Amino acid sequence: MTRAPHPFSTYRLQIREAFDLDKAAAVTKYLNDLGADWVYLSPVLEAEPGSDHGYDVVDHSRVDPARGGSAGLQKLSDSAHGLGLGVVIDIVPNHMGVATPASNSWWWDLLKHGRESRYATAFDVDWAAGDNKIRIPVLGDAGDDRFDALEVVGDELHYYDNRYPIAPGTAAAGDSAVDVHSRQNYELVHWKRADSELNYRRFFAVNTLAGIRVEEGWVFDESHAEIGRWFREGLADGLRVDHPDGLADPAGYLDRLAELTGGKHVLVEKILEGDEEMPSDWATAGTTGYDALGEYERVLVDPDGRDALGALDSALRSEPAGEFSWEEMILGTKRGIADGILGSEIRRLARLLGESGAPTDPRVVDALAELAAAFPVYRSYLPQGGEQLARAAAAAGAARPDLTDVIATVVQRLGDPTDPAAVRFQQTSGMVMAKGVEDTAFYRYSRLVSLNEVGGEPNVFSFTADEFHARQQRRLATFPHAMTTLSTHDTKRSADVRARITVLAEVADEWAAAMERLRQLAPVGDGPFENLLWQSIVGVWPASRERLHDYAEKASREADLSTHWTAPDEEFEKRMHALVDACFDDDRVASELERIVEVVRSAGWSNSLALAALQLTGPGAPDVYQGGELWDYSLVDPDNRREVDFDERRRILAAISAGETPPVDETGAAKLLLTHRALTLRRDRPELFERYVPLPVFGEAASNAVAIDRGGAVVVATRLPVGLRESGGWRGTELHLPAGDRIDALTGRRFTGSRIALSDLLATYPVALLIPASQKG
């Protein structure tokens, strides 16, 4: 069976020990019946023992036995290909898992032999900064006695459950463990020293994920040998590249990947900020869709809720309305990251800029941290993106006139593509952005938390229909095969949670009143965080007590204001957990929570279906995250990696295939109907989706509809459903389109002519998918 070189759609499966490749193979028939074109797998190379995500690869040479091994991948590939499904696999070129050194032969050899190891050039180590040792930040808080836990066991050095190799000839009978430790090629140091003294590159601030140097030819060859086999043997049809911004030369890497795969479909997890565009010289079909996610979201947000929700957020942070600045917030959070958990990366940059062996200049460290904080996008790709460095320099200079001379000197080096400091700054600025914005500011800003999403800018509140259409037309013209998405393993909240929260923009005053009552009933003492937490609870309700406790703890510590990962505030967290318990144990809190959920529930379903309709039919290749064809009310990981009930989905799909037209209700069957019909059309009738023309809607409620002709398939989606209901419905509003006979693929109803009343078209569902009558089936 001949497959197109690019997917019309994908379906993401999280492969882990509990849902391995054999189990994935067993659902390929269902995915094909659903309408998916390709199956999209999370990383499958051998990962850390017990890893539930796979982004901590320890052995590039084989498929993880715990995930089904090579035989499992062969079975999955055979099953998918036998049904006509393609296979795209997630890969992780930037880093490796080093939490358990004995599981990673490269890292073990490096620790054992140091600079003499064959893998000394595979990892990104600043040997001089560690006096020719790799600093491992694992020691606890036992003061001067913390080395008491060290012991020599055979040819290994043990620290509690941590095992490390002993270099040949460095241990003799009678030596103390401390003496042996002093002779190794690594130094075990207190965990807090990682912030300022770590001397190997990591993935963000995760000490157990060590960066590797795929720019080295042999490192690429050996870390991609198994990946190359997948394409030589026809096991895979495409790749998703995790975190290319961490690489020294992303464009060069993608060129090599194209050679390895024979030019097959490759997507990159690239986060674009605002109007930023993809680098023009990358060998890729496009991004993994976070940019699209924010567009779908914002066209459904009521712009009239902006001021009221903004005033609530300002009041909760005791600021005058209108004075809050998102830009100032992220400048502060990014600077805090550069000074804190990524301080070792900033200091390494400063060493590169200084004289060899000379003490690090604190003013250079200060200037670099200010530049990283002010950098407006994730990174540049010099010479592309030089204007972003200029913007950062101007902003940093304005904020810190005392550093003007140092900034000017530093920027001259950072703007030279051949300068090692420039290469490393580009690898570092994205870390500061991700940790400072996605993992800190997103948990501090509470105006409308459905907008606090990866790749989005919460200060951009909404899009007009015209703005939305322009962005879709640009995607079709530039990257027509890019992935689009609504939920991923990295999103802070699933699409259906966000869709319900978005309704709050339509009932902003009611939400402010509900917040006042809830804060009186279950006070915590951090207004913005309480707003964020209550919005999230409303978005996901009903949810288990355990899930909400876990989320509250993670969200509060990520915000890093009232409590912290490294120094939890017990009194604050006691009040916070009491708030969660009150949702279940306090009738007054439970009643208010249920009341506000009821206000937004049905409108949230409408928004969910609108999001799905726009994404599933829009430009690009839509991805469905596992289980998302039904309502999926998930919060941030690991909550979004819960088990999916595929048997239930098979049952509902069978009923739909037998002719059932499900209502919009708590089952989510209407969403599965929409997903099935849209994906099937995308796969079987691709010619219906080859253009993008906004269609005119006329009438009193014209602003409540988004309508597009995709080249034969016409999609109509409801927006602002609360306002639509309260104003009396569609009130004669009509869709205008070329005359013809059409059938709604969702309901089977026929519509004839060039004027269609939306009250008729959208009588059953808040969305419609019209196709020419001759194309039915």
Side-chain angles (χ1 to χ4, degrees):
M1 187 178 295
T2 302
R3 283 180 299 278
H6 303 285
F8 296 118
S9 68
T10 56
Y11 189 103
R12 168 80 173 205
L13 294 173
Q14 293 294 117
I15 306 301
R16 55 195 187 280
E17 188 170 3
F19 186 82
D20 61 13
L21 289 160
D22 287 329
K23 291 182 178 178
V27 303
T28 54
K29 174 64 165 58
Y30 162 73
L31 299 185
N32 183 65
D33 292 344
L34 183 66
D37 192 33
W38 288 23
V39 59
Y40 167 28
L41 307 179
S42 63
V44 298
L45 293 176
E46 184 171 0
E48 285 279 359
S51 171
D52 203 33
H53 52 77
Y55 290 94
D56 44 5
V57 174
V58 297
D59 188 347
H60 291 105
S61 71
R62 63 177 184 168
V63 177
D64 196 340
R67 287 171 164 76
S70 294
L73 182 59
Q74 184 73 59
K75 182 176 181 181
L76 177 283
S77 178
D78 288 347
S79 179
H81 288 159
L83 293 163
L85 295 166
V87 178
V88 62
I89 305 178
D90 202 341
I91 62 171
V92 190
N94 178 69
H95 53 268
M96 295 186 76
V98 297
T100 51
S103 297
N104 186 330
S105 62
W106 288 22
W107 187 250
W108 186 264
D109 193 85
L110 181 73
L111 297 182
K112 188 171 187 177
H113 298 289
R115 301 190 77 161
E116 301 304 313
S117 168
R118 178 173 182 268
Y119 300 100
T121 56
F123 292 96
D124 198 349
V125 181
D126 184 351
W127 293 99
D131 295 325
N132 289 320
K133 294 176 182 283
I134 305 168
R135 291 184 179 135
I136 311 296
V138 295
L139 298 183
D141 292 321
D144 294 336
D145 298 327
R146 61 180 177 267
F147 281 111
D148 288 354
L150 280 177
E151 58 178 330
V152 175
V153 180
D155 58 355
E156 296 178 358
L157 190 64
H158 289 196
Y159 178 70
Y160 294 107
D161 293 332
N162 300 289
R163 299 165 47 207
Y164 304 96
I166 293 175
T170 60
D175 286 349
S176 71
V178 173
D179 288 337
V180 172
H181 170 257
S182 69
R183 301 176 192 131
Q184 301 313 304
N185 295 299
Y186 53 87
E187 179 187 7
L188 305 184
V189 300
H190 190 273
W191 63 272
K192 288 185 177 179
R193 291 176 63 183
D195 289 0
S196 58
E197 299 177 47
L198 202 71
N199 64 332
Y200 61 89
R201 180 172 61 85
R202 304 165 288 176
F203 170 70
F204 297 165
V206 185
N207 300 332
T208 54
L209 295 176
I212 61 172
R213 303 178 66 243
V214 290
E215 64 271 20
E216 290 285 331
W218 75 267
V219 176
F220 178 95
D221 291 340
E222 294 193 16
S223 62
H224 287 66
E226 171 67 6
I227 296 167
R229 181 183 75 84
W230 300 343
F231 290 90
R232 289 193 305 274
E233 298 183 9
L235 297 171
D237 305 287
L239 297 172
R240 180 260 196 192
V241 178
D242 182 68
H243 191 48
D245 278 353
L247 306 181
D249 179 14
Y253 171 79
L254 291 170
D255 285 343
R256 288 218 59 190
L257 203 60
E259 294 174 8
L260 182 76
T261 66
K264 294 296 177 64
H265 183 74
V266 170
L267 296 163
V268 290
E269 186 209 22
K270 169 61 192 164
I271 310 299
L272 300 171
E273 289 290 308
D275 293 327
E276 181 188 8
E277 296 185 358
M278 281 276 290
S280 58
D281 57 349
W282 282 17
T284 177
T287 74
T288 53
Y290 290 115
D291 44 327
L293 181 155
E295 295 163 5
Y296 306 133
E297 201 77 52
R298 282 162 178 77
V299 77
L300 301 181
V301 174
D302 185 357
D304 290 343
R306 174 183 176 132
D307 290 345
L309 292 178
L312 173 61
D313 178 75
S314 293
L316 292 172
R317 58 181 80 249
S318 300
E319 294 178 354
E323 291 192 9
F324 173 79
S325 168
W326 167 253
E327 290 76 14
E328 288 182 12
M329 172 182 275
I330 63 172
L331 184 64
T333 56
K334 290 171 68 179
R335 180 64 204 244
I337 293 296
D339 290 337
I341 59 175
L342 291 179
S344 56
E345 276 75 11
I346 298 297
R347 286 169 174 77
R348 184 171 181 180
L349 272 166
R351 291 193 294 272
L352 276 175
L353 291 169
E355 296 292 332
S356 178
T360 303
D361 185 343
R363 296 186 76 230
V364 171
V365 174
D366 200 0
L368 284 166
E370 197 68 30
L371 284 165
F375 211 78
V377 296
Y378 273 68
R379 62 166 286 175
S380 59
Y381 309 91
L382 295 174
Q384 295 184 68
E387 71 281 1
Q388 307 292 4
L389 179 61
R391 286 177 60 192
R400 295 293 304 278
D402 57 311
L403 292 175
T404 301
D405 57 331
V406 185
I407 290 171
T409 301
V410 167
V411 167
Q412 188 172 12
R413 293 276 304 275
L414 298 185
D416 178 359
T418 65
D419 194 312
V423 173
R424 188 163 298 280
F425 182 81
Q426 292 178 106
Q427 293 176 278
T428 303
S429 62
M431 302 184 199
V432 175
M433 175 73 85
K435 296 303 297 180
V437 179
E438 293 175 23
D439 291 346
T440 306
F442 277 6
Y443 291 95
R444 293 186 183 183
Y445 188 41
S446 70
R447 182 173 65 180
L448 186 64
V449 301
S450 56
L451 303 180
N452 298 12
E453 198 46 83
V454 179
E457 298 173 288
N459 60 320
V460 179
F461 192 75
S462 62
F463 286 160
T464 66
D466 286 345
E467 289 172 322
F468 173 78
H469 292 316
R471 288 170 179 266
Q472 306 321 300
Q473 289 168 328
R474 184 172 69 177
R475 178 170 299 107
L476 181 62
T478 55
F479 289 97
H481 304 298
M483 180 180 288
T484 65
T485 192
L486 293 176
S487 298
T488 76
H489 62 287
D490 271 339
T491 43
K492 305 301 184 186
R493 298 165 188 85
S494 67
D496 296 322
V497 173
R498 299 195 312 272
R500 185 187 288 176
I501 293 172
T502 289
V503 180
L504 297 178
E506 293 199 75
V507 294
D509 292 337
E510 186 160 3
W511 175 247
M515 269 299 299
E516 183 176 358
R517 289 189 289 271
L518 289 167
R519 293 193 71 212
Q520 290 172 350
L521 293 170
V524 174
D526 181 338
F529 176 72
E530 290 170 71
N531 194 15
L532 178 143
L533 181 57
W534 277 119
Q535 287 186 47
S536 300
I537 292 173
V538 167
V540 78
W541 192 259
S544 72
R545 191 187 301 254
E546 180 183 10
R547 288 175 62 203
L548 295 184
H549 278 303
D550 289 346
Y551 174 75
E553 180 177 284
K554 178 168 183 173
S556 63
R557 293 181 182 181
E558 293 282 45
D560 203 29
L561 285 176
S562 294
T563 189
H564 318 276
W565 285 113
T566 56
D569 185 309
E570 292 184 8
E571 288 303 313
F572 174 83
E573 294 196 4
K574 182 179 179 180
R575 296 192 300 273
M576 177 186 73
H577 288 299
L579 179 156
V580 171
D581 286 331
C583 297
F584 302 89
D585 303 332
D586 186 322
D587 290 342
R588 299 167 303 166
V589 172
S591 176
E592 182 63 19
L593 174 58
E594 292 285 358
R595 187 194 67 79
I596 195 66
V597 169
E598 188 59 32
V599 168
V600 298
R601 180 182 282 115
S602 63
W605 289 339
S606 178
N607 282 346
S608 286
L609 292 173
L611 278 175
L614 294 173
Q615 185 238 359
L616 293 169
T617 64
D623 177 59
V624 177
Y625 184 71
Q626 60 175 28
E629 62 271 34
L630 290 181
W631 303 141
D632 173 25
Y633 294 99
S634 297
L635 296 168
V636 72
D637 67 281
D639 193 60
N640 56 19
R641 294 198 295 268
R642 289 171 294 138
E643 184 177 355
V644 175
D645 186 347
F646 284 107
D647 288 338
E648 174 70 1
R649 286 157 176 79
R650 288 186 184 97
R651 185 192 66 77
I652 294 174
L653 180 58
I656 289 169
S657 299
E660 183 176 304
T661 302
V664 180
D665 61 15
E666 65 279 356
T667 68
K671 188 181 180 187
L672 195 148
L673 166 70
L674 169 62
T675 304
H676 169 54
R677 298 284 163 77
L679 291 185
T680 302
L681 282 170
R682 293 296 296 259
R683 181 189 65 195
D684 298 345
R685 304 285 187 179
E687 71 277 4
L688 298 178
F689 299 89
E690 293 180 345
R691 66 178 181 180
Y692 189 100
V693 179
L695 290 174
V697 177
F698 295 99
E700 292 186 54
S703 63
N704 291 100
V706 179
I708 307 112
D709 180 356
R710 289 288 283 113
V714 171
V715 61
V716 182
T718 299
R719 61 191 296 265
L720 315 186
V722 174
L724 178 66
R725 182 185 68 240
E726 292 181 347
S727 63
W730 291 109
R731 293 161 289 153
T733 302
E734 291 183 332
L735 170 67
H736 289 206
L737 68 176
D741 256 359
R742 295 176 177 84
I743 290 176
D744 183 359
L746 306 183
T747 64
R749 295 178 61 210
R750 182 181 293 264
F751 295 87
T752 302
S754 60
R755 305 289 186 269
I756 301 177
L758 293 189
S759 59
D760 190 18
L761 178 63
L762 304 178
T764 304
Y765 299 119
V767 297
L769 179 53
L770 298 172
I771 57 173
S774 60
Q775 300 291 336
K776 185 177 184 295

